[in-house]
Amino acid sequence: MKKIGLSVYGMSISKEGVEKQNLNNINQKGVINILTEYIDMHLDEYSNDRRNESLFSFTQKVEEEIFDDNQKLVCRTLCGIIKTGEYGVSSELVDINTGEIYVRTSEQADIMPFGFCIIVPAGNIDTCIVVVQTIGQFGIKFTLQKKIQEIIRAIEPDLFVSMGPVMPREYIQKYFDEGILQKISMIRYEIPEDMAERVGINYGVAATKEERIIHKPIGFMERRKNEIKEWMKGQRASTKIIQIEDFDYDILKFVFRLGNTEKTINLNNLDKIVITEDITEKVQTVQGQPVFDSLKPIMIDTGKSYLAGQGFIAE
């Protein structure tokens, strides 16, 4: 079964790309209200982006308010399911059990469902959290951002929607301090000519990459704590944390386990880190797809933990 994950982004809306807006007061409406009204009007209705040859539809939606122990509003959430896919190229579908072949025409789209959750803290706030579900290598970050942009600009044309990685250093530090390092992955995209010759591949092939993986690197975090501290402070490149003779890598990834959660952290740019949390074992699935009722609370809890890490809400 393909791995099911969650990726988290910060979303803001600005006027002409400069002046950030209060997400709870955009033309006297909160962004949750704006999106909810649109979804209610267009639920299960496919929009056809002919330029990019893709279909998009909101197929499920749940809006909730979350209160603290004193019944004070903490945040509002909008969770749902998006179905999206591309067309324009024909392909063959092969039944792995019978070998029977079906033809998908260029006018048929391969549609997949993805969960999403938008969490907006109460008050005068200009940044919120967007949690999107992934499956294998597939995700909806750019598709969802484009759709939200379209909805918001229908209300006010000079507004711009931005969605980018959000990862407080304190949140990362928690995994470095309390997590168990499961794996280190070093990826090199340009393989030296002599290595390509020895392996027997064509030198300079763009799709070729070399990856070296260290499993169960016991003691690594302690022995490399000085290098990691320098990286956290921006004083050392991620590609200089580990130095291996004759192997200059481009990407360094750490895979941590903390409790039942596994996170992959790409160390290349601390300010642009996107962590994909593996929730395959935590969510109920049917035919490889997560069941929404089991996915929704996980997305909400994940988003709230990021807001807490940023100091927007209490733990």
Side-chain angles (χ1 to χ4, degrees):
M1 186 176 76
K2 299 290 187 183
K3 284 190 175 183
I4 299 168
L6 294 180
S7 295
V8 182
Y9 300 89
M11 184 178 79
S12 61
I13 298 175
S14 57
K15 183 167 290 189
E16 298 178 349
V18 177
E19 182 185 348
K20 285 189 176 182
Q21 304 294 293
N22 177 2
L23 297 180
N24 290 308
N25 186 14
I26 297 176
N27 275 0
Q28 299 183 339
K29 287 185 179 180
V31 66
I32 294 291
N33 299 94
I34 294 171
L35 297 177
T36 297
E37 289 176 5
Y38 176 89
I39 294 173
D40 285 341
M41 291 177 60
H42 300 279
L43 194 67
D44 294 323
E45 176 184 307
Y46 276 103
S47 59
N48 187 352
D49 184 347
R50 296 188 180 277
R51 179 178 179 182
N52 294 300
E53 298 182 316
S54 64
L55 297 179
F56 181 101
S57 176
F58 290 104
T59 63
Q60 201 161 349
K61 176 222 68 176
V62 176
E63 181 186 355
E64 295 182 1
E65 293 182 332
I66 298 176
F67 297 87
D68 63 16
D69 294 338
N70 297 318
Q71 294 304 304
K72 181 180 179 181
L73 181 63
V74 174
C75 56
R76 298 181 66 191
T77 71
L78 174 62
C79 300
I81 296 291
I82 287 168
K83 288 186 178 180
T84 186
E86 298 181 349
Y87 59 91
V89 178
S90 64
S91 63
E92 292 184 346
L93 305 176
V94 181
D95 189 311
I96 62 171
N97 296 312
T98 66
E100 190 171 355
I101 299 175
Y102 306 88
V103 176
R104 179 172 70 92
T105 72
S106 61
E107 294 183 347
Q108 293 176 320
D110 186 9
I111 300 295
M112 292 180 64
F114 296 91
F116 74 94
C117 186
I118 301 171
I119 307 178
V120 182
N124 189 341
I125 196 82
D126 62 14
T127 302
C128 69
I129 291 294
V130 179
V131 182
V132 293
Q133 174 229 321
T134 64
I135 184 163
Q137 63 179 334
F138 301 104
I140 56 165
K141 186 265 184 181
F142 294 107
T143 303
L144 179 59
Q145 179 179 349
K146 183 178 179 181
K147 176 55 68 172
I148 294 175
Q149 176 83 71
E150 175 188 318
I151 296 169
I152 295 298
R153 282 192 168 173
I155 295 174
E156 193 168 334
D158 60 351
L159 293 181
F160 178 81
V161 175
S162 175
M163 278 176 58
V166 53
M167 181 52 54
R169 292 172 185 256
E170 295 81 5
Y171 194 92
I172 297 175
Q173 192 67 55
K174 180 178 181 180
Y175 283 87
F176 278 70
D177 292 341
E178 303 175 21
I180 299 174
L181 186 59
Q182 300 288 303
K183 184 172 67 175
I184 297 173
S185 173
M186 294 163 282
I187 301 171
R188 173 164 66 183
Y189 291 111
E190 292 188 12
I191 299 177
E193 186 173 3
D194 60 338
M195 174 62 74
E197 182 65 29
R198 291 200 301 270
V199 173
I201 59 177
N202 293 333
Y203 174 65
V205 177
T208 303
K209 67 179 182 181
E210 180 180 0
E211 182 175 13
R212 296 192 184 184
I213 297 176
I214 302 173
H215 294 276
K216 302 293 182 182
I218 298 173
F220 174 84
M221 296 301 292
E222 178 62 28
R223 298 179 66 179
R224 287 287 187 271
K225 62 182 179 181
N226 291 332
E227 289 88 342
I228 292 172
K229 284 182 180 179
E230 291 175 357
W231 169 76
M232 288 287 288
K233 294 177 181 178
Q235 298 170 348
R236 177 184 290 265
S238 61
T239 52
K240 299 299 181 182
I241 294 177
I242 303 173
Q243 298 188 48
I244 300 177
E245 187 176 354
D246 297 328
F247 187 72
D248 297 324
Y249 54 91
D250 302 296
I251 302 291
L252 178 64
K253 295 181 180 181
F254 288 171
V255 179
F256 288 97
R257 179 166 291 278
L258 182 59
N260 294 323
T261 299
E262 187 174 278
K263 288 187 182 290
T264 300
I265 300 180
N266 184 330
L267 277 68
N268 269 48
N269 191 326
L270 183 59
D271 297 321
K272 294 184 178 180
I273 287 178
V274 176
I275 290 182
T276 299
E277 179 178 339
D278 185 354
I279 61 168
T280 309
E281 302 299 324
K282 298 167 66 175
V283 69
Q284 181 184 353
T285 60
V286 175
Q287 294 186 333
Q289 296 289 352
V291 176
F292 179 67
D293 287 344
S294 68
L295 176 64
K296 179 173 72 72
I298 299 174
M299 291 193 296
I300 291 175
D301 287 345
T302 299
K304 286 172 62 181
S305 71
Y306 276 69
L307 286 174
Q310 291 180 301
F312 286 120
I313 64 174
E315 289 276 12

